Amino acid sequence: MNHQPQHEGLSPATDFTPTQIRDAVRRLLDADELPPVVQAGHPVLRQLAAPYDGQLDDVELAALVDRMREVMHDAPGVGLAAPQLGIPLQVAVLEDQYDLDPVSAAVRHREQMEFFVIVNPHYTPLGTEMASFYEGCLSVNGYQAVVTRYRNVELRYLTPAGEPVEEWFSGWQARIVQHETDHLHGTLYLDRAEIRSLASNAEHSARWATPDIEDARRSLGFLH
């Protein structure tokens, strides 16, 4: 989405009261149209989102999750965090059902991922193996950059029903998990990116949309 949302006077997420968070969610849910995705430069993306601890009732939380999933599909994307809709709450939705050619899928270790919701997540690397690939973000519209991330992680989170989960992710699924969890802690993918790799979507499609990053690495001069 190209529309720049206007949210004035945001306080740090830790200063938001449960009532303020609930009111912001209600305004979002009452809107007739899907909300725009908040873009880089908005302070909500640079704050530690408030842990979910009952600021919403079960119906409101389910409705927020449904709206987030709608926005993710409409964008389209494979994940969306509540701060990307201006809501400073540690909730994110993830889903990867896109078809890839077998070569790209094999190189990127990318498998489809069923829809699920993470609440108050934290990830821990499993081992030291890293992987570097181009990725983008709905809140940094129009660009992609290479990010080096852990290939395998353990994610601890709550379901919307409050059930604790410990789950291992690898490959592209681990990348999505790390990207969305980072959002809830005020980190954008650009903070971890090889800045020399930064490319517009058009340049990426024309030059660097290969399964790996070797051509881009040599031509743009990063990760020597």
Side-chain angles (χ1 to χ4, degrees):
M1 295 181 183
N2 293 323
H3 175 64
Q4 294 283 344
Q6 299 296 321
H7 300 282
E8 302 295 342
L10 280 179
S11 302
T14 51
D15 292 342
F16 268 68
T17 67
T19 298
Q20 289 172 317
I21 291 175
R22 185 166 56 249
D23 288 346
V25 171
R26 287 174 175 173
R27 287 193 298 271
L28 184 151
L29 296 176
D30 287 342
D32 293 331
E33 298 180 352
L34 292 179
V37 176
V38 170
Q39 295 297 303
H42 194 295
V44 72
L45 296 174
R46 291 311 197 174
Q47 298 162 354
L48 173 63
Y52 177 75
D53 61 2
Q55 295 93 334
L56 310 175
D57 64 31
D58 291 347
V59 173
E60 290 168 331
L61 179 58
L64 174 61
V65 166
D66 288 344
R67 185 59 55 89
M68 290 172 63
R69 190 179 189 185
E70 287 183 84
V71 174
M72 177 179 65
H73 287 171
D74 183 69
V78 295
L80 187 78
Q84 293 181 274
L85 298 186
I87 305 298
L89 200 59
Q90 289 192 25
V91 179
V93 296
L94 304 87
E95 183 179 15
D96 186 2
Q97 296 295 319
Y98 293 101
D99 292 326
L100 286 184
D101 70 87
V103 174
S104 292
V107 170
R108 299 173 186 177
H109 296 88
R110 183 169 180 175
E111 298 178 354
Q112 291 189 339
M113 183 166 63
E114 297 295 327
F115 176 79
F116 70 111
V117 183
I118 56 176
V119 177
N120 301 346
H122 292 274
Y123 65 80
T124 304
L126 295 171
T128 59
E129 189 176 2
M130 311 293 283
S132 302
F133 291 104
Y134 268 100
E135 66 181 71
C137 178
L138 299 178
S139 289
V140 187
N141 193 31
Y143 290 90
Q144 298 188 45
V146 170
V147 182
T148 299
R149 294 193 183 272
Y150 294 107
R151 190 180 291 279
N152 305 288
V153 297
E154 178 186 69
L155 184 70
R156 297 187 178 191
Y157 64 96
L158 300 177
T159 69
E163 300 164 342
V165 179
E166 296 180 13
E167 193 170 356
W168 290 14
F169 294 89
S170 63
W172 205 261
Q173 293 184 0
R175 180 170 295 269
I176 297 171
V177 161
Q178 291 170 82
H179 182 117
E180 298 307 327
T181 301
D182 281 355
H183 267 305
L184 303 178
H185 296 86
T187 298
L188 293 176
Y189 85 103
L190 289 177
D191 299 331
R192 305 185 186 281
E194 297 290 334
I195 294 302
R196 288 185 68 91
S197 73
L198 187 67
S200 69
N201 285 347
E203 287 294 333
H204 178 266
S205 295
R207 301 176 186 275
W208 316 127
T210 53
D212 60 33
I213 62 166
E214 287 308 304
D215 289 344
R217 182 185 62 79
R218 288 191 296 268
S219 297
L220 300 180
F222 61 88
L223 287 176
H224 293 295

